[in-house]
Amino acid sequence: MSAADERAAAAKLPEGDVVALLLEQHARIRGLFARIALGEGDEKKAAFDQLRGLLAVHEAAEELILRPVAKKTAGESEADARNAEEKEASRVLKQLESMDVASPEFESAIAEFEQAVSAHAEHEEREEFPAIVAQCTADQRYSMGERLRRAEHLAPTHPHPTATGSPAALAMTGPFAAMMDKARDAIGR
């Protein structure tokens, strides 16, 4: 799906629906990748920092809120595959975070990473999201959306590969990691 398709699909769902919120985030993620590809210097770095933060929060919220339900609706193997992809994405994002955004290595790595993130989002949009819409009531999806918004405030803003991919580890370490990440963000490190 394109960012426009994701926004259109989100608009068809009730406001606050967890799937609508995640589709909107997917569209924002695609837009940030485009800004990185077109950007230079500080603008490119700022777009990457936004992408890094959004992906860290997005993945943590999906693992804590969406995946437990997706295991029941889309199947355990589907949910486990998405968690494994997110663990790998966290590892790659951590590597990207240490690179100079103006370097050829960054250009190559971010292009490859964009493809992996896009494929991951498409799997969610084809497998997990339709199963959740079909098997959960609008009230359940709204409640999940509320929990997702709350989880976003507690989620880390930097990748933490050791916790990603394991909802239990993320639930235990996420709030502390988030506090440390937000402090790090505030002092500009």
Side-chain angles (χ1 to χ4, degrees):
M1 259 192 232
S2 70
D5 292 337
E6 288 162 340
R7 285 187 183 97
K12 292 178 184 175
L13 294 166
E15 186 174 330
D17 183 293
V18 69
V19 173
L21 294 171
L22 292 171
L23 285 167
E24 289 167 3
Q25 287 181 353
H26 285 185
R28 286 184 19 229
I29 289 164
R30 289 184 197 279
L32 288 167
F33 273 117
R35 282 185 47 209
I36 291 166
L38 298 173
E40 292 182 18
D42 289 343
E43 181 182 321
K44 184 175 200 153
K45 175 80 169 101
F48 176 71
D49 287 345
Q50 288 176 21
L51 175 69
R52 182 210 65 235
L54 178 55
L55 281 173
V57 167
H58 176 80
E59 290 173 359
E62 280 185 338
E63 285 184 33
L64 294 171
I65 308 302
L66 186 77
R67 291 287 137 56
V69 177
K71 279 187 176 200
K72 296 173 187 167
T73 60
E76 192 166 337
S77 64
E78 180 65 30
D80 289 346
R82 300 299 73 81
N83 278 344
E85 290 168 356
E86 288 177 354
K87 185 173 184 78
E88 175 61 12
S90 183
R91 187 190 65 74
V92 172
L93 198 55
K94 187 76 172 166
Q95 289 176 335
L96 286 165
E97 190 175 39
S98 67
M99 293 178 168
D100 177 358
V101 298
S103 72
E105 294 81 16
F106 180 86
E107 292 297 328
S108 175
I110 195 76
E112 188 176 317
F113 183 61
E114 181 179 10
Q115 290 178 352
V117 169
S118 181
H120 172 79
E122 288 171 15
H123 279 289
E124 289 176 339
E125 292 166 4
R126 252 191 344 261
E127 305 297 331
E128 285 184 318
F129 295 177
I132 286 173
V133 168
Q135 296 178 47
C136 296
T137 66
D139 286 343
Q140 288 171 320
R141 294 192 320 268
Y142 180 81
S143 175
M144 289 170 63
E146 287 288 305
R147 290 178 30 231
L148 183 121
R149 281 195 289 269
R150 283 194 307 271
E152 287 176 340
H153 297 291
L154 300 174
T157 59
H158 292 265
H160 295 275
T162 56
T164 305
S166 170
L170 190 58
M172 292 189 59
T173 62
F176 178 74
M179 179 183 65
M180 296 303 293
D181 287 352
K182 289 173 183 163
R184 188 167 103 187
D185 293 344
I187 61 173
R189 293 186 142 195

